[in-house]
């Protein structure tokens, strides 16, 4: 499963928010978005069109994480 760091104003030492690809379709991607907070996580699943996903990559809003 590919993971991407989401550009945010995370506090020092805090893990970045994540976007995980769950499934790929012709029209785009089903994703899980995890926003980490000090005491809890906000997790939601959504659909991103290919155009929106590509725009996020191109502008640096998301960046693929390496192992």
């Amino acid at each position: 499963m590919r993971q991407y760091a989401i550009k945010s104003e995370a506090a020092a030492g805090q893990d970045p928010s994540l976007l995980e690809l769950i499934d790929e379709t012709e029209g785009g991607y089903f994703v899980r978005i995890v926003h980490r907070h000090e005491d809890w996580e906000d997790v939601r699943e959504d659909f991103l069109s290919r155009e929106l996903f590509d725009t996020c990559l191109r502008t640096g809003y998301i960046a693929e994480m390496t192992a």
Side-chain angles (χ1 to χ4, degrees):
M1 179 182 315
R2 292 188 306 187
Q3 292 185 332
Y4 297 81
I6 300 172
K7 186 176 181 178
S8 66
E9 298 294 323
Q14 185 178 3
D15 290 335
S17 295
L18 298 176
L19 182 142
E20 301 174 337
L21 295 184
I22 298 172
D23 195 15
E24 182 177 353
T25 67
E26 189 174 309
Y29 303 92
F30 287 97
V31 299
R32 179 177 297 119
I33 300 170
V34 181
H35 293 288
R36 294 196 170 106
H37 302 277
E38 194 171 311
D39 296 337
W40 55 284
E41 290 184 344
D42 178 21
V43 180
R44 74 171 188 230
E45 294 184 0
D46 212 336
F47 179 82
L48 293 179
S49 69
R50 286 187 183 276
E51 182 179 0
L52 179 56
F53 183 83
D54 291 342
T55 298
C56 290
L57 270 177
R58 188 175 60 254
T59 61
Y61 184 71
I62 60 174
E64 189 164 10
M65 299 177 70
T66 57

